[in-house]
């Protein structure tokens, strides 16, 4: 993923025309568009390739299965045109290794979830998040997903993975996190959904967050 605005749009709309319109509008202001079950289940997997023609696509399917099933899922996602795929780390090294192998064949990237951004992540995930960050680092994936809602955890995860792999960070806006704080804590990209796609003017909202990120870097 080319690092420019350092903003990723989470496009969790369920209408095909709206999805394509917003993608066209924010093109140039986001480095990637993350799409997941809401949009793909509503419109079909061809939407992946349609959006990828405009902006690189990260497929957020949080893949979490045995290696053989993971392989079948990865092949479908990358054949559909996704540039990257988000997978879970808790299934362990063999499942992750399989995802990385399929991604390599397609010239695509894998991002591993460490600790999620919502409050429930404290129930189970936070306890093993650092181990999953280490697993991701060992597997030489493109990056990990870490919570903008807890910048101190972004910082901790950065200290584990070093600077070789990236951090993409959701939880900005509606979930309470700040784009500037996440970037200052060590995130390479922030992921923003509702604050952009529910705005009256998604392009303007994306531009404003991109500016906030730039100002945080320039400080
Ligand atoms: O830990 C995570 N938190 C999170 O919100 C991992 C994610 N993949 N996400 C996703 O990021 C979530 O599914 C949604 O697509 C996006 C955040 O959207 P919003 O809260 O900015 O609307």
């Amino acid at each position: 993923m080319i690092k420019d605005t350092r903003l990723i749009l989470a496009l969790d709309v369920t209408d095909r025309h709206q999805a394509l319109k917003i993608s066209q509008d924010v093109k140039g202001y986001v480095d990637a568009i993350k799409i997941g079950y809401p949009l793909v289940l509503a419109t079909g997997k061809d939407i992946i390739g349609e959006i990828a023609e405009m902006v690189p696509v990260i497929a957020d399917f949080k893949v979490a299965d045995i290696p053989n099933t993971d392989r079948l899922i990865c092949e479908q996602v990358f054949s559909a045109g996704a540039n990257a795929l988000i997978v879970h780390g808790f299934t362990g090294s063999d499942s992750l290794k399989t995802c990385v192998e399929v991604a390599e064949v397609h010239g695509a990237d894998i991002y591993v979830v460490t600790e999620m951004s919502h409050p429930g992540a404290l129930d189970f995930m936070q306890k093993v998040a650092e181990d999953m960050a280490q697993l991701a680092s060992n597997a030489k994936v493109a990056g990990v997903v870490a919570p903008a809602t807890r910048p101190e955890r972004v910082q901790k995860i950065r200290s584990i993975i070093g600077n070789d792999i990236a951090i993409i960070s959701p939880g900005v806006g509606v979930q309470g996190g700040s784009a500037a704080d996440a970037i200052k804590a060590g995130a390479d990209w922030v992921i923003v959904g509702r604050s952009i796609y529910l705005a009256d003017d998604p392009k303007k909202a994306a531009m404003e967050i991109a500016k906030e990120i730039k100002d945080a870097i320039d400080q």
Side-chain angles (χ1 to χ4, degrees):
M1 190 167 23
I2 293 170
K3 216 174 185 177
D4 180 16
T5 63
R6 300 173 64 157
L7 175 60
I8 297 167
L9 167 63
L11 190 53
D12 295 323
V13 300
T14 52
D15 179 82
R16 183 174 173 278
H17 292 290
Q18 190 192 9
L20 294 173
K21 163 102 176 60
I22 294 175
S23 300
Q24 188 63 48
D25 285 352
V26 301
K27 189 179 163 184
Y29 302 100
V30 301
D31 290 343
I33 294 181
K34 184 182 81 62
I35 66 176
Y37 294 110
L39 181 60
V40 174
L41 291 177
T43 66
K45 74 177 161 75
D46 288 350
I47 194 82
I48 297 175
E50 286 182 81
I51 294 176
E53 277 176 26
M54 294 183 259
V55 182
V57 166
I58 302 174
D60 185 0
F61 293 133
K62 296 189 185 68
V63 179
D65 217 310
I66 61 167
N68 186 60
T69 308
D70 277 359
R71 179 177 57 78
L72 294 167
I73 296 168
C74 288
E75 280 167 358
Q76 288 297 320
V77 172
F78 295 132
S79 300
N83 305 84
L85 174 63
I86 295 176
V87 307
H88 270 302
F90 64 75
T91 43
S93 57
D94 54 349
S95 293
L96 181 56
K97 182 167 174 277
T98 303
C99 295
V100 171
E101 282 169 4
V102 181
E104 269 169 15
V105 170
H106 291 266
D109 289 331
I110 295 290
Y111 290 89
V112 177
V113 178
T114 57
E115 174 180 320
M116 292 183 72
S117 56
H118 63 311
L122 304 183
D123 294 345
F124 301 108
M125 295 193 85
Q126 192 177 73
K127 299 176 184 65
V128 290
E130 292 166 36
D131 290 339
M132 291 194 286
Q134 189 61 60
L135 176 79
S137 176
N138 294 346
K140 297 191 170 41
V141 296
V144 298
V145 185
T149 45
R150 290 176 220 104
E152 74 284 2
R153 298 294 294 160
V154 172
Q155 215 168 4
K156 178 73 196 173
I157 285 164
R158 172 59 75 201
S159 76
I160 293 165
I161 63 175
N163 290 321
D164 290 345
I165 67 172
I167 296 178
I168 60 176
S169 189
V172 168
V174 177
Q175 293 185 53
S178 130
D181 289 350
I183 292 288
K184 284 191 229 158
D188 295 279
W189 282 274
V190 295
I191 299 171
V192 184
R194 287 164 286 180
S195 299
I196 296 177
Y197 69 74
L198 293 181
D200 290 337
D201 185 344
K203 177 177 168 175
K204 185 162 163 270
M207 283 169 69
E208 283 170 3
I209 298 168
K211 179 164 186 320
E212 181 190 334
I213 295 168
K214 189 171 182 314
D215 290 347
I217 298 163
D218 291 345
Q219 254 174 27

